[in-house]
């Protein structure tokens, strides 16, 4: 067949058609080869022993799997025990099929695709390039299984991965950040500790993202390690992850200047201050939103805002001058409502003035904002989980967020080996996929 194909490739022939025909030949050969390899794994014995029981060979059946060459059928023996409802198939077990249908390389590919796009889009792409794949529900089942496996092995796996990772060459500082980003949950999906109406139309809840970013001496980012977590009371799991990452890094490189950067939320700073970082920075761009509010009380708001934004950014102790300017506006305010609003903003800057030394930070090659974690909010959550019409379960959302975090941090390949080994060792059940026991109101 291949000789006929080559003979047909004469000058002027459509090379694209030739290439696709060649791929079809390779796929056909690959499917036959995989089918034979699967068949050889079945020794066809009459009975086997498992869990202290005897299992007897039933009528032979045909199995189906999806490999990198497409869909493959193969003969295999199935064994049954009269006292147990389910049957077992040693051949399937030996192949290490994921979600009962996919080979490990295909499982890896589909997991990557699901992390980037909706399941039906991912399946259409896979089917177009590889061939018919299992139903979309099987893809979703695989993502839950992968997440279940990763949660079981992540402590040990991350410890090994962190030990093997090198600090980027040229790194002189490390920045620790966390932030929240809203996701739309399915009706009734309320994580423990978060109840009631949050003021948003629909069941919007705050997920969280965290970053550890290495910077060079000029403040340019070298590498970011990131993680995302579905809505959780006080971001407990994310904070634990951040703290562990930070501690390992500082053990390796205690000479790095450590920085905590976030917006002005008090809970963020309760956590960051507890990490005993060298510098604490309130995001400059977040601070300017408060300047913008104040400028509404000035005679020429654009001119006032531009002037004091520049002073805050470029002058040593510029925040002290900003505090004086706000006090001046407050003294000239014509009504108590305006004075109260100005006093609120003045208190905001005054309470955080030690974290607003932006000119000094710039000179030292340190960041003036938390842009790294805000970018992760967009790449981890916004690009994948906030498309039109999307509604998420807690478990389904975490399955996607967990894998995206590993991919974006450059850790997926090493993590995949741990995930597969755990799935080979023991299988998840439908009851233990969900890391949350969702509280629901009685009907």
């Amino acid at each position: 067949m291949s000789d006929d194909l080559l003979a047909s490739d004469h000058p002027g022939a459509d090379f694209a058609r030739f290439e696709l025909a060649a791929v079809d030949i390779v796929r056909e050969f690959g499917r036959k080869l995989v089918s034979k390899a699967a068949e050889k794994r079945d020794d066809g014995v009459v009975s086997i022993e498992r869990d202290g029981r005897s299992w007897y060979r039933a009528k032979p059946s045909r199995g189906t799997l999806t490999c990198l060459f497409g869909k493959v059928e193969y003969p295999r023996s199935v064994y049954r025990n009269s006292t147990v409802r389910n049957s077992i198939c040693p051949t399937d077990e030996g192949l290490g099929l994921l979600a009962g249908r996919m080979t490990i390389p295909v499982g890896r590919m589909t997991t990557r695709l699901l992390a980037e796009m909706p399941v039906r889009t991912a399946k259409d792409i896979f089917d177009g390039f590889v061939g018919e794949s299992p139903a979309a529900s099987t893809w979703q089942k695989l993502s839950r299984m992968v997440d279940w496996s990763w949660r079981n092995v992540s402590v040990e796996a991350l410890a090994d991965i962190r030990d093997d990772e090198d600090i980027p060459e040229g790194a002189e500082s490390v920045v620790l950040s966390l932030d929240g980003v809203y996701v739309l949950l399915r009706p009734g999906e309320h994580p423990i500790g978060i109840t009631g109406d949050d003021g948003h139309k629909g069941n919007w809840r705050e997920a969280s993202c965290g970053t550890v970013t290495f910077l060079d001496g000029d403040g340019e980012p070298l590498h970011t390690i990131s993680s995302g977590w579905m809505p959780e009371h006080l971001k407990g799991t994310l904070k634990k992850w951040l703290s562990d990452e930070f501690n390992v890094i500082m053990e390796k490189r205690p000479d790095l200047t450590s920085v905590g950067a976030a917006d002005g939320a008090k809970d963020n700073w309760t956590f960051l201050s507890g990490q005993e970082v060298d510098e604490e920075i309130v995001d400059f761009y977040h601070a300017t939103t408060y300047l913008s509010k104040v400028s509404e009380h000035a005679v020429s708001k654009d001119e006032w805002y531009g002037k004091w934004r520049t002073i805050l950014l470029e002058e040593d102790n510029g925040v002290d001058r900003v505090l004086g300017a706000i006090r001046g506006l407050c003294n000239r305010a014509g009504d108590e409502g305006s004075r109260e609003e100005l006093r609120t903003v003045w208190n905001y800057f005054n309470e955080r003035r030690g974290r607003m030394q932006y000119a000094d930070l710039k000179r030292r090659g340190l960041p003036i904002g938390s842009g790294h974690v805000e970018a992760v909010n967009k790449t981890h959550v916004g690009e994948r989980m906030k498309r039109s019409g999307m509604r998420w379960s807690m478990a389904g959302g975490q399955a996607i967020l967990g894998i995206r975090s590993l991919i974006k941090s450059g850790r997926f390949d090493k993590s995949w080996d741990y995930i597969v080994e755990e799935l080979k060792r023991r299988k998840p059940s439908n009851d233990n996929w969900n890391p949350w026991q969702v509280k629901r109101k009685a009907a």
Side-chain angles (χ1 to χ4, degrees):
M1 184 182 296
S2 59
D3 291 339
D4 294 340
L5 183 64
L6 287 172
S8 68
D9 186 36
H10 56 77
D14 187 338
F15 188 75
R17 293 179 62 185
F18 164 80
E19 181 182 2
L20 292 173
V23 169
D24 286 340
I25 290 174
V26 172
R27 284 179 179 168
E28 182 181 356
F29 176 76
R31 287 193 293 269
K32 290 180 179 179
L33 194 62
V34 169
S35 179
K36 286 292 183 183
E39 182 180 358
K40 283 189 174 184
R41 288 177 173 267
D42 185 359
D43 55 18
V45 297
V46 175
S47 66
I48 60 175
E49 295 294 322
R50 182 74 62 84
D51 300 328
R53 295 186 178 97
S54 294
W55 298 72
Y56 295 92
R57 188 170 182 257
K59 183 179 179 180
S61 65
R62 298 193 67 81
T64 303
L65 62 79
T66 300
C67 67
L68 293 178
F69 299 108
K71 185 177 179 180
V72 172
E73 291 188 351
Y74 56 96
R76 85 271 208 263
S77 299
V78 175
Y79 295 82
R80 295 194 175 96
N81 181 286
S82 59
T83 63
V84 181
R85 180 177 181 180
N86 297 327
S87 59
I88 60 176
C89 180
T91 301
D92 289 358
E93 294 172 353
L95 294 172
L97 300 181
L98 302 178
R101 292 289 183 270
M102 302 180 184
T103 62
I104 291 172
V106 168
R108 182 183 181 280
M109 181 186 297
T110 55
T111 298
R112 289 289 304 254
L113 287 171
L114 281 177
E116 300 296 338
M117 63 193 74
V119 60
R120 297 196 181 279
T121 304
K123 179 172 164 51
D124 286 346
I125 292 174
F126 182 94
D127 292 354
F129 282 95
V130 178
E132 182 184 355
S133 65
S137 59
T138 302
W139 285 60
Q140 293 171 324
K141 178 181 178 182
L142 175 64
S143 71
R144 301 285 184 89
M145 291 176 67
V146 168
D147 177 61
W148 171 88
S149 177
W150 178 243
R151 285 187 286 108
N152 283 336
V153 301
S154 61
V155 173
E156 175 188 350
L158 282 176
D160 291 344
I161 291 170
R162 289 163 179 157
D163 286 343
D164 290 342
E165 284 179 337
D166 294 324
I167 305 298
E169 185 177 352
E172 294 193 14
S173 60
V174 59
V175 184
L176 199 65
S177 298
L178 72 163
D179 197 11
V181 54
Y182 278 89
V183 295
L184 184 55
L185 302 184
R186 292 175 180 173
E189 288 277 341
H190 296 279
I192 293 174
I194 303 179
T195 58
D197 184 7
D198 55 18
H200 292 262
K201 185 178 180 180
N203 192 20
W204 288 92
R205 302 289 161 178
E206 189 181 41
S208 54
C209 292
T211 55
V212 179
T213 304
F214 298 98
L215 307 180
D216 64 16
D218 296 322
E220 294 298 319
L222 299 172
H223 179 58
T224 294
I225 304 168
S226 54
S227 183
W229 201 259
M230 289 294 280
E232 182 187 31
H233 183 55
L234 297 179
K235 305 183 180 75
T237 305
L238 180 75
K239 291 174 181 176
K240 176 65 166 58
W241 175 86
L242 274 170
S243 183
D244 290 345
E245 293 285 346
F246 179 67
N247 290 336
V248 171
I249 290 166
M250 297 312 296
E251 286 179 8
K252 290 182 178 181
R253 285 284 307 275
D255 60 301
L256 291 175
T257 300
S258 58
V259 179
D263 59 24
K266 290 184 178 180
D267 180 64
N268 290 342
W269 287 108
T270 298
F271 167 73
L272 290 173
S273 296
Q275 304 308 301
E276 299 182 354
V277 293
D278 297 324
E279 298 287 347
E280 297 182 356
I281 302 167
V282 168
D283 179 70
F284 171 75
Y285 306 97
H286 181 80
T288 60
T289 62
Y290 285 83
L291 278 183
S292 180
K293 292 179 182 179
V294 169
S295 70
E296 297 292 332
H297 299 273
V299 175
S300 177
K301 65 177 184 179
D302 291 340
E303 181 180 346
W304 191 98
Y305 173 77
K307 173 184 176 180
W308 291 105
R309 183 185 187 279
T310 300
I311 289 172
L312 179 64
L313 177 63
E314 297 183 355
E315 291 194 12
D316 288 333
N317 296 315
V319 64
D320 293 330
R321 293 193 59 191
V322 166
L323 286 167
I326 297 173
R327 185 183 295 110
L329 288 176
C330 187
N331 292 337
R332 294 191 296 273
D335 60 87
E336 183 56 31
S338 296
R339 286 192 291 272
E340 182 60 28
E341 182 177 349
L342 289 164
R343 281 194 291 265
T344 299
V345 176
W346 187 92
N347 288 332
Y348 172 85
F349 279 97
N350 186 55
E351 291 171 2
R352 297 162 178 81
R353 58 190 300 277
R355 299 169 180 154
M356 294 182 173
Q357 305 302 317
Y358 301 117
D360 178 61
L361 294 167
K362 287 173 61 180
R363 276 196 302 270
R364 296 162 56 197
L366 298 176
I368 61 169
S370 54
H372 305 113
V373 73
E374 290 169 9
V376 165
N377 284 345
K378 295 177 182 178
T379 57
H380 282 39
V381 180
E383 292 178 1
R384 175 64 178 90
M385 302 179 70
K386 299 179 78 169
R387 303 187 189 193
S388 178
M390 284 188 170
R391 307 289 189 274
W392 293 91
S393 68
M394 292 289 291
Q398 189 57 44
I400 297 301
L401 268 181
I403 296 302
R404 284 181 72 80
S405 298
L406 294 174
I407 292 171
K408 302 298 183 182
S409 300
R411 290 175 166 177
F412 177 77
D413 290 340
K414 292 181 179 179
S415 302
W416 181 250
D417 293 336
Y418 289 93
I419 290 168
V420 169
E421 286 305 311
E422 178 67 6
L423 287 173
K424 287 180 179 178
R425 190 173 71 87
R426 59 195 184 109
K427 302 294 184 183
S429 69
N430 290 335
D431 296 331
N432 61 18
W433 279 349
N434 194 340
W436 294 272
Q437 295 297 320
V438 179
K439 290 182 177 179
R440 301 181 187 277
K441 293 181 179 180

